[in-house]
Amino acid sequence: MTYADPRAELNLPYTHVTDMFIDGQWVPAHSHNRTDVVDPATEQVWGSVPDADGEDVDAAVGAARNAFDAGPWPRLTPAQRAEHLLRIADEIEARADVLSATNTRENGSPVMETAGAAANAASIFRFFATLADYLQAEDVRIAPVGGHQTLVRRDPIGVCALIAPWNFPINLVVIKLAPALLAGNTVVIKPATPTPLSIRFIIEAIEAAGVPGGVVNLITGDAAAGDMLVRHRDVDKVAFTGSTAVGRKIAAVCGELLRPVTLELGGKSSAVVLPDADLDAMSQVLVRSCLRNTGQTCYISTRILAPAQRYDEVVEMVAATIAAAKCGDPFDPDTVFGPVANKMQYDKVLHYLESAWNEGARLVTGGRPADVTRGYFITPAVLADVTPEMTVAREEIFGPVITILAYETIDEAVEIANSTRFGLGGIVFSADPDAALAVAQRIDSGSVGINFFASNHSAPFGGRKDSGLGVEYGVEGLSAYLSYKSIHRR
Ligand code: NAD
């Protein structure tokens, strides 16, 4: 079947594909089932990929198993693997434009966002390459009892299944892939169903960098393919980013199998605005910190907690800032808010907005299907008079919706911030660094920013409570791909 393609001028190399990357080659899928790839800005089907069946999963895991058990990769020194990581970084950067366009077309993330995807991925590979010395350093410890020596080895775990969501289809694979490879593991990647194409440029970069066949394998498919991968007898570790509901299912399977698992899950983070906060400065970072990627970012602080005495001022600033940001075609370089990434998410966001109206929140701006004839556009919504019990204050919406709640005392603000079942991000806005730090320390989450939010490749990133298990980034993120072994000797 062919489709009229309104964006044919983009000339993207990957559209309707029939292959997967297994054992160092693009091979035709065994499965004949396929999934369409939809441009959320136009609702146009512009691509399709095969849905892996059991034989495809077996082939990919088998290739990774052989590469781990008998191939050169785990036997290279960490420094040699780091050389490959540096070459991969260069090769990814060489593909920045086409990767950005494919990513934008898959999930509607504005080019303002995806233009940096390749540079960010490259910087993650380069950061993990710097940890080769840490892996290589001889670690000998003296027993406090007995006085003997113990050589502590940091071995790779084996075959890792890397499963990603659709909101940042490159970054959320690469933060798993780079440490897994540096440690000497082999991997099978499964991107999310709506975003299976941009990841192919990472595979191209890996091929071009000379990584041996079987070390990195790519399958496409839906939840069933992911489930087969998680359960496969030859998988030794699972690393997952996605929803809390799916994370729970994967944790249950891995618990039964006693298989190590890292889970980066959903969030519902708060921006605590202290009474002395500089609202002009907050306005400058508001979109990036609270509504990045059209609200489809796990750690953003979509709940703004404003002091009662400045509530109206905060609502006015937030509404004016959000309403002034351009919403529209994600390929327009000035667009800040693109469409919601897919139909399911679009319906979910509208459903949450309806619940807000029914439960008594006040819509200050946006919150309606945008005035367009096609595409999953919703104008970014600011909801005021929200209370902690409302559905929109408790559940992850994952779309362009900000809620603003009032508090009377700092203790109450902290209590509201910690009252959800999530614990991923958070921000404290204040002119006083000490006061901000004191509040940041009381927020029960894996990361908190002061007057902005940005993760750091060298520091752990992860969630508490229903936001996940384990961390990514930093030397701690590398540890998630290591199996420790102590060799005692006299
Ligand atoms: P999702 O959980 O629906 O899917 C994620 C991935 O899991 C997809 O590849 C999907 O095909 C696969 N999958 C689904 N069911 C599976 C199963 N039973 N076994 C194995 N794999 C399965 O998530 P999504 O809708 O793609 O992404 C949005 C969610 O991701 C949000 O909740 C968001 O907060 C979360 N997220 C978290 C982080 C973080 O670092 N904590 C980062 C980004 C996104």
Side-chain angles (χ1 to χ4, degrees), residues 163-167 172 190-193 221-223 226-227 230 240-244 246 249-250 264-267 298 345 396 398 424 461 467 472:
I163 302 179
W166 46 259
N167 58 330
L172 295 170
K190 196 205 81 65
T193 320
D222 55 10
D227 183 54
V230 168
F240 170 81
T241 300
S243 62
T244 298
V246 172
K249 286 189 201 169
I250 291 176
E264 298 290 349
L265 310 177
C298 54
Q345 204 58 28
E396 181 184 52
F398 223 57
L424 192 57
F461 173 85
S467 290
E472 297 188 312

Side-chain angles (χ1 to χ4, degrees), residues 14 19-22 24-28 200 203-204 207 218:
Y14 296 124
D19 51 8
M20 303 190 189
F21 191 72
I22 295 176
Q25 295 178 62
W26 293 99
V27 295
R200 292 170 74 102
I203 302 292
E204 273 190 9
E207 272 189 285
L218 172 73

Side-chain angles (χ1 to χ4, degrees), residues 397-418:
I397 300 172
F398 223 57
V401 183
I402 283 190
T403 58
I404 310 181
L405 295 80
Y407 71 84
E408 297 286 345
T409 64
I410 303 292
D411 284 349
E412 190 194 356
V414 171
E415 193 185 315
I416 298 172
N418 291 341

Side-chain angles (χ1 to χ4, degrees), residues 354-443:
E354 200 179 316
S355 86
W357 297 323
N358 292 338
E359 292 177 30
R362 172 165 58 96
L363 183 66
V364 188
T365 183
R368 293 190 177 78
D371 191 16
V372 289
T373 51
R374 58 180 192 177
Y376 305 130
F377 291 93
I378 297 175
T379 52
V382 176
L383 294 168
D385 301 343
V386 173
T387 59
E389 303 74 35
M390 288 183 188
T391 311
V392 286
R394 289 183 289 109
E395 296 184 11
E396 181 184 52
I397 300 172
F398 223 57
V401 183
I402 283 190
T403 58
I404 310 181
L405 295 80
Y407 71 84
E408 297 286 345
T409 64
I410 303 292
D411 284 349
E412 190 194 356
V414 171
E415 193 185 315
I416 298 172
N418 291 341
S419 66
T420 77
R421 56 197 179 89
F422 298 107
L424 192 57
I427 310 182
V428 184
F429 287 100
S430 172
D432 176 347
D434 294 335
L437 184 60
V439 174
Q441 284 167 342
R442 296 174 65 192
I443 293 182

Side-chain angles (χ1 to χ4, degrees), residues 126-482:
R126 291 189 184 117
F127 165 71
F128 279 104
T130 68
L131 298 185
D133 288 346
Y134 162 80
L135 274 189
Q136 215 151 277
E138 198 182 58
D139 183 354
V140 177
R141 307 186 194 180
I142 306 300
V145 177
H148 58 278
Q149 284 190 345
T150 297
L151 177 64
V152 178
R153 286 186 49 87
R154 301 181 185 94
D155 292 336
I157 298 177
V159 175
C160 302
L162 312 184
I163 302 179
W166 46 259
N167 58 330
F168 290 95
I170 299 302
N171 172 281
L172 295 170
V173 170
V174 166
I175 61 178
K176 299 166 178 54
L177 181 60
L181 291 183
L182 180 73
N185 299 284
T186 61
V187 309
V188 179
I189 300 168
K190 196 205 81 65
T193 320
T195 50
L197 294 173
S198 54
I199 191 66
R200 292 170 74 102
F201 299 104
I202 302 296
I203 302 292
E204 273 190 9
I206 284 165
E207 272 189 285
V211 174
V215 173
V216 177
N217 303 275
L218 172 73
I219 59 167
T220 47
D222 55 10
D227 183 54
M228 284 188 277
L229 184 58
V230 168
R231 292 174 190 275
H232 197 286
R233 65 187 177 281
D234 279 331
V235 166
D236 299 307
K237 154 146 190 134
V238 177
F240 170 81
T241 300
S243 62
T244 298
V246 172
R248 253 184 236 292
K249 286 189 201 169
I250 291 176
V253 173
C254 291
E256 187 67 32
L257 297 172
L258 290 180
R259 184 163 289 174
V261 59
T262 313
L263 301 170
E264 298 290 349
L265 310 177
K268 185 77 183 177
S269 305
S270 297
V272 180
V273 183
L274 296 188
D276 67 351
D278 175 346
L279 297 189
D280 287 340
M282 181 176 165
S283 163
Q284 301 299 313
V285 299
L286 185 78
V287 170
R288 186 85 178 166
S289 307
C290 301
L291 224 44
R292 181 177 178 188
N293 199 24
T294 318
Q296 301 164 123
T297 305
C298 54
Y299 59 71
I300 49 175
S301 295
T302 53
R303 299 196 324 163
I304 294 179
L305 310 189
Q309 70 269 32
R310 296 188 73 189
Y311 189 77
D312 293 342
E313 222 186 311
V314 172
V315 170
E316 198 180 315
M317 179 279 285
V318 172
T321 309
I322 297 300
K326 187 167 181 180
C327 176
D329 184 354
F331 280 100
D332 178 337
D334 295 327
T335 292
V336 176
F337 297 112
V340 169
N342 51 66
K343 175 78 167 81
M344 208 170 89
Q345 204 58 28
Y346 176 81
D347 291 340
K348 191 173 143 196
V349 174
L350 291 180
H351 170 80
Y352 274 117
L353 287 170
E354 200 179 316
S355 86
W357 297 323
N358 292 338
E359 292 177 30
R362 172 165 58 96
L363 183 66
V364 188
T365 183
R368 293 190 177 78
D371 191 16
V372 289
T373 51
R374 58 180 192 177
Y376 305 130
F377 291 93
I378 297 175
T379 52
V382 176
L383 294 168
D385 301 343
V386 173
T387 59
E389 303 74 35
M390 288 183 188
T391 311
V392 286
R394 289 183 289 109
E395 296 184 11
E396 181 184 52
I397 300 172
F398 223 57
V401 183
I402 283 190
T403 58
I404 310 181
L405 295 80
Y407 71 84
E408 297 286 345
T409 64
I410 303 292
D411 284 349
E412 190 194 356
V414 171
E415 193 185 315
I416 298 172
N418 291 341
S419 66
T420 77
R421 56 197 179 89
F422 298 107
L424 192 57
I427 310 182
V428 184
F429 287 100
S430 172
D432 176 347
D434 294 335
L437 184 60
V439 174
Q441 284 167 342
R442 296 174 65 192
I443 293 182
D444 190 11
S445 76
S447 305
V448 185
I450 293 180
N451 292 325
F452 85 123
F453 192 99
S455 54
N456 169 348
H457 299 349
S458 70
F461 173 85
R464 295 183 180 176
K465 303 189 279 184
D466 283 7
S467 290
L469 281 180
V471 296
E472 297 188 312
Y473 283 141
V475 74
E476 296 82 359
L478 176 63
S479 298
Y481 295 92
L482 297 175

